[in-house]
């Protein structure tokens, strides 16, 4: 047992006895694992517990979220399914109130109406309030709401955003002149800045969706130069996707060099785009048979390591890129390292992986090897911090009910380990019982052996009765 425990610890980095005690014996004895509240809340079905565990995971605004009227609603009209969950839309409502309102809105009638409109749950009520605000004044946030929710095509949305841009630029210039005159003016300028950045970003996304990709890239670059401190909006992820569409791989590498830094937060877009660029250098000539014979070259090793890094960050993406799992429309909010982020990335970047010859083949051959590198148990990380336990619960809140949520691949124990552990435990138990109760165990052993050999004795008796005695005598002599 001691030799086995030493070998197991050397191979898997943890004690087998400790693992069995925590994973199997503790639940049987009534212990509760406090480190996994999400699993308990999911099993119990308690909504409050779900909300609490979801709040422990930081949810981000999806940089590439679709338009509600022109895309999400059209999906609902065609399929009859709701692509957005109530929890996701509630988060969006909170974002709108944070970015598009301020304390001085009650001084302006149109802004006061829009402040109430962002809190409305009924879409028609929000749209009616936006029209009411536009009757009073040229209100940028009213145009934003109509472009997002009333416009049924991207072309209509772009027209409304252009009107919003004119109104938004005027408000921004006026508040810029007064921003240092007090806290209220400072808050108003911050709100007008958020509105302007949002409008310009959505205009760039409209241009990208309408095929004017170079124009979209220019708009995104200008926006990042004009507002360099607003990196929290992750505009660089929109820029990366547009540059990949143009196949401007050198420009993509330049953007990655700036944002794929150890001090900056990572995302699936950054990690998998870096892996795609390194795979592009070797994927067209990569062959798993040839690589197994001669070994991996330096460039191939770099590509495989980049894929392992990306998969460790978000292990759900490869199944969507390899089309082993069906995609749905990405939500308006994503959970980094979760299934929601994987869907949002693959929805826009699958075409870029297909465009690079052999990239998906390289991914298919190497991505599962990541889990052999990560220490066991999976709470330990190799390149990143431990994988969050609450991601599954949060993804179930963000993704529609008709989608099967992807969960972190479990690292199963080899059968040999389980068999050896069971055999050692059974032998130790038999030795203990034999030592304590030798006579009783002798009776049990005789009974067990007689029961075990009963079928064989029965067959032998039948054979003796069927075969002639002389023939049977010769067979037994042989």
């Amino acid at each position: 047992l001691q030799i086995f425990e030493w070998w197991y610890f050397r191979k898997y980095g943890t004690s087998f006895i400790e693992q069995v005690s925590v994973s199997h014996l503790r639940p049987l004895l009534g212990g509760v694992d406090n480190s996994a509240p999400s699993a308990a809340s999911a099993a119990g079905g308690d909504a409050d517990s779900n909300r609490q565990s979801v709040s422990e995971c930081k949810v981000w605004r999806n940089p590439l979220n679709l338009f509600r009227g022109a895309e999400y609603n059209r999906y609902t009209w065609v399929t009859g399914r709701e692509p957005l969950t109530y929890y996701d839309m509630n988060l969006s409502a909170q974002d709108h109130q944070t970015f598009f309102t301020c304390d001085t809105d009650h001084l302006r009638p149109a802004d006061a109406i829009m402040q109430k409109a962002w809190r409305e749950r009924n879409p028609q009520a929000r749209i009616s309030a936006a029209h009411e605000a536009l009757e009073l004044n040229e209100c940028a946030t009213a145009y934003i709401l109509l472009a997002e929710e009333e416009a049924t095509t991207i072309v209509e949305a772009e027209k409304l955003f252009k009107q919003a841009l004119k109104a938004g630029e005027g408000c921004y210039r006026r508040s810029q002149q007064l921003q240092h005159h007090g806290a209220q003016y400072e808050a108003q300028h911050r709100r007008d800045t958020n509105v302007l950045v949002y409008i310009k970003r959505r205009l760039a996304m409209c241009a990208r969706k309408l095929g004017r990709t170079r124009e979209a890239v220019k708009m995104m670059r200008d926006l990042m130069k004009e507002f360099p401190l607003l990196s929290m909006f992750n505009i660089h992820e929109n820029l990366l996707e547009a540059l990949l569409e143009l196949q401007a791989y050198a420009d993509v590498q330049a953007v990655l060099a700036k944002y794929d830094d150890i001090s900056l937060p990572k995302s699936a877009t950054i990690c998998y785009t870096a892996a795609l660029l390194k795979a592009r250098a070797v994927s067209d000539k990569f062959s798993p048979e040839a690589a197994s014979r001669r070994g991996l070259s330096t460039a191939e090793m770099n590509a495989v390591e980049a894929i392992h890094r990306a998969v460790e960050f978000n292990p759900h993406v490869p199944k969507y890129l390899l089309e082993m799992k069906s995609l749905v429309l990405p939500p308006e909010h994503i959970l980094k390292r979760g299934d929601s982020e994987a869907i949002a990335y693959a929805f826009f970047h699958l075409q870029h992986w297909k465009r690079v010859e052999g990239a998906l083949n390289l991914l298919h051959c190497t991505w599962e090897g990541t889990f052999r590198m990560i220490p066991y148990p999976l709470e330990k990380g190799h390149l990143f911090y431990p994988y969050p336990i609450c991601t599954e619960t949060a993804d179930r809140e963000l993704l529609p009910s008709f989608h099967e949520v992807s969960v972190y691949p479990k690292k199963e124990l080899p059968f040999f380990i389980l068999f050896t552990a069971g055999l050692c435990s059974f032998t130790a138990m038999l030795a203990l019982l034999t030592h304590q109760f030798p006579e009783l165990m002798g009776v049990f052993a005789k009974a067990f052996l007689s029961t075990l050999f009963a079928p064989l004795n029965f067959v032998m008796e039948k054979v003796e009765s069927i075969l002639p005695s002389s023939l049977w005598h010769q067979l037994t002599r042989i």
Side-chain angles (χ1 to χ4, degrees):
L1 283 172
Q2 287 179 337
I3 293 173
F4 170 75
E5 174 72 7
W6 171 81
W7 172 82
Y8 190 88
F9 186 84
R10 286 289 301 272
K11 184 173 180 64
Y12 293 100
T14 188
S15 166
F16 178 79
I17 296 174
E18 179 186 359
Q19 180 190 340
V20 170
S21 301
V22 173
S23 303
H24 302 288
L25 299 182
R26 189 175 179 183
L28 293 176
L29 298 175
V32 179
D33 189 0
N34 295 325
S35 65
S38 60
S41 62
D46 188 353
D48 295 334
S49 300
N50 275 351
R51 290 289 185 272
Q52 185 177 2
S53 62
V54 169
S55 64
E56 294 173 3
C57 293
K58 182 173 175 57
V59 179
W60 300 71
R61 182 83 177 176
N62 183 7
L64 293 165
N65 67 303
L66 305 178
F67 293 82
R68 281 198 188 175
E71 291 172 308
Y72 287 121
N73 286 349
R74 292 173 74 88
Y75 178 84
T76 305
W77 297 337
V78 173
T79 65
R81 291 175 166 181
E82 289 290 343
L84 297 176
T85 64
Y86 173 76
Y87 175 69
D88 191 16
M89 291 189 288
N90 187 45
L91 290 176
S92 297
Q94 295 175 20
D95 291 341
H96 296 151
Q97 293 174 52
T98 302
F99 292 126
F100 299 153
T101 64
C102 65
D103 296 335
T104 60
D105 283 346
H106 64 278
L107 301 176
R108 297 174 298 279
D111 288 334
I113 293 173
M114 288 307 300
Q115 192 173 41
K116 296 179 180 179
W118 295 119
R119 296 174 184 159
E120 288 284 350
R121 292 187 177 182
N122 187 351
Q124 290 303 319
R126 291 196 296 271
I127 292 171
S128 300
H131 283 294
E132 183 182 348
L134 286 175
E135 291 175 1
L136 298 177
N137 194 7
E138 288 288 305
C139 181
T141 53
Y143 283 122
I144 289 175
L145 193 148
L146 295 178
E148 290 286 350
E149 301 196 32
E150 188 181 45
T152 57
T153 63
I154 301 297
V155 174
E156 293 177 18
E158 186 180 37
K159 290 179 181 177
L160 289 167
F161 274 121
K162 287 181 178 179
Q163 293 176 282
L165 181 62
K166 293 180 181 178
E169 285 179 334
C171 292
Y172 176 75
R173 284 193 295 268
R174 287 192 295 271
S175 64
Q176 192 176 28
Q177 297 171 356
L178 301 171
Q179 63 176 314
H180 301 299
H181 291 195
Q184 289 185 339
Y185 293 107
E186 188 72 33
Q188 185 175 339
H189 177 66
R190 192 183 309 113
R191 190 278 308 269
D192 292 337
T193 302
N194 291 335
V195 170
L196 186 62
V197 171
Y198 186 90
I199 293 170
K200 288 187 174 183
R201 180 194 198 141
R202 292 307 250 178
L203 277 171
M205 294 175 73
C206 286
R208 167 70 184 91
K209 291 175 184 291
L210 294 173
R212 306 196 306 271
T213 311
R214 295 189 182 277
E215 179 185 342
V217 168
K218 184 180 184 305
M219 294 170 71
M220 292 173 193
R221 289 189 184 277
D222 293 343
L223 185 58
M224 293 169 68
K225 289 178 182 177
E226 189 177 358
F227 302 97
L229 299 179
L230 293 180
S231 58
M232 60 180 178
F233 289 109
N234 294 325
I235 302 173
H236 59 275
E237 296 198 9
N238 300 83
L239 179 60
L240 285 172
E241 195 279 327
L243 290 173
L244 285 171
E245 177 63 23
L246 294 175
Q247 301 184 44
Y249 297 110
D251 293 336
V252 173
Q253 184 62 58
V255 175
L256 283 178
K258 183 178 179 181
Y259 289 97
D260 192 5
D261 186 81
I262 192 171
S263 61
L264 297 176
K266 298 293 179 290
S267 67
T269 300
I270 289 175
C271 293
Y272 277 90
T273 302
L276 176 61
L277 291 188
K278 291 188 177 180
R280 177 175 169 268
V282 298
S283 60
D284 56 336
K285 299 176 182 177
F286 178 78
S287 169
E289 294 81 9
S292 63
R293 286 196 307 269
R294 59 174 169 77
L296 294 174
S297 64
T298 303
E300 289 173 339
M301 185 66 72
N302 292 335
V304 171
E305 288 177 355
I307 289 174
H308 286 171
R309 172 178 179 259
V311 174
E312 183 181 345
F313 181 82
N314 193 318
H316 311 292
V317 173
K319 286 190 175 181
Y320 294 108
L321 292 180
L322 298 172
E323 298 181 81
M324 299 164 63
K325 203 170 188 299
S326 58
L327 278 169
V328 295
L329 292 186
E332 292 184 336
H333 288 81
I334 59 173
L335 184 68
K336 286 194 175 183
R337 307 186 74 179
D339 191 30
S340 51
E341 184 193 34
I343 290 171
Y345 172 79
F347 187 86
F348 292 99
H349 288 262
L350 175 59
Q351 57 181 331
H352 306 316
W353 279 81
K354 286 184 174 181
R355 190 178 291 125
V356 176
E357 183 182 354
L360 290 175
N361 177 49
L362 180 60
L363 178 68
H364 174 72
C365 295
T366 57
W367 77 276
E368 289 180 322
T370 307
F371 305 111
R372 290 192 293 271
M373 299 173 56
I374 300 176
Y376 192 87
L378 294 179
E379 284 73 19
K380 298 179 181 180
H382 179 60
L383 298 170
F384 297 98
Y385 55 89
Y387 190 79
I389 300 174
C390 59
T391 51
E392 182 180 350
T393 306
D395 279 331
R396 291 188 190 280
E397 295 288 334
L398 288 171
L399 296 170
S401 58
F402 56 83
H403 172 73
E404 183 182 352
V405 175
S406 178
V407 297
Y408 197 98
K410 296 293 179 65
K411 191 170 184 179
E412 300 293 341
L413 288 174
F415 173 76
F416 171 74
I417 298 296
L418 296 175
F419 176 76
T420 307
L423 187 61
C424 289
S425 303
F426 181 70
T427 306
M429 183 183 67
L430 283 180
L432 179 63
L433 291 174
T434 304
H435 178 73
Q436 293 292 332
F437 312 102
E439 296 180 0
L440 185 60
M441 288 301 295
V443 174
F444 276 123
K446 290 178 181 178
F448 175 74
L449 291 174
S450 62
T451 306
L452 183 65
F453 288 107
L456 182 61
N457 293 332
F458 177 77
V459 172
M460 295 291 288
E461 291 175 0
K462 289 294 183 183
V463 170
E464 286 182 7
S465 62
I466 295 173
L467 294 177
S469 58
S470 58
L471 178 60
W472 179 249
H473 180 69
Q474 294 296 328
L475 288 174
T476 54
R477 289 185 63 185
I478 295 172

